[in-house]
Amino acid sequence: SWLAYMYLSRYFYANHSYSDAIDCLRCALIHGSLHEDILLTDLANIVFRYGYLRDAIVFIERAFDHHLRLRTF
């Protein structure tokens, strides 16, 4: 179900409805804990487009940390 939210967020993103895309990614983060790195990267992309560079950096760092934690197990 996290995948459906991710695809829906990409649909909203393509149609320039960024706030709806962010809401979908929030829901996807709740349902897709194993794929948090993918979702956080998408979220960083959206907030970067909004002009929130520091928030985008935080999301990318969290995605990278999550990815590294998955690779160690």
Side-chain angles (χ1 to χ4, degrees):
S1 122
W2 70 272
L3 193 58
Y5 283 117
M6 187 186 74
Y7 283 129
L8 187 59
S9 74
R10 289 187 180 184
Y11 169 79
F12 284 131
Y13 179 78
N15 288 316
H16 304 287
S17 181
Y18 301 126
S19 61
D20 291 332
I22 290 172
D23 288 339
C24 288
L25 287 172
R26 285 180 186 160
C27 292
L29 281 169
I30 293 169
H31 296 295
S33 62
L34 291 178
H35 306 284
E36 189 174 319
D37 52 343
I38 298 169
L39 301 169
L40 287 170
T41 303
D42 281 354
L43 191 56
N45 187 24
I46 293 171
V47 297
F48 178 75
R49 298 279 181 185
Y50 263 132
Y52 296 109
L53 182 60
R54 290 184 185 181
D55 292 333
I57 290 170
V58 169
F59 288 136
I60 289 294
E61 287 174 346
R62 279 190 60 195
F64 189 65
D65 289 341
H66 182 74
H67 180 73
L68 289 177
R69 274 187 276 134
L70 286 178
R71 291 188 57 123
T72 58
F73 292 118

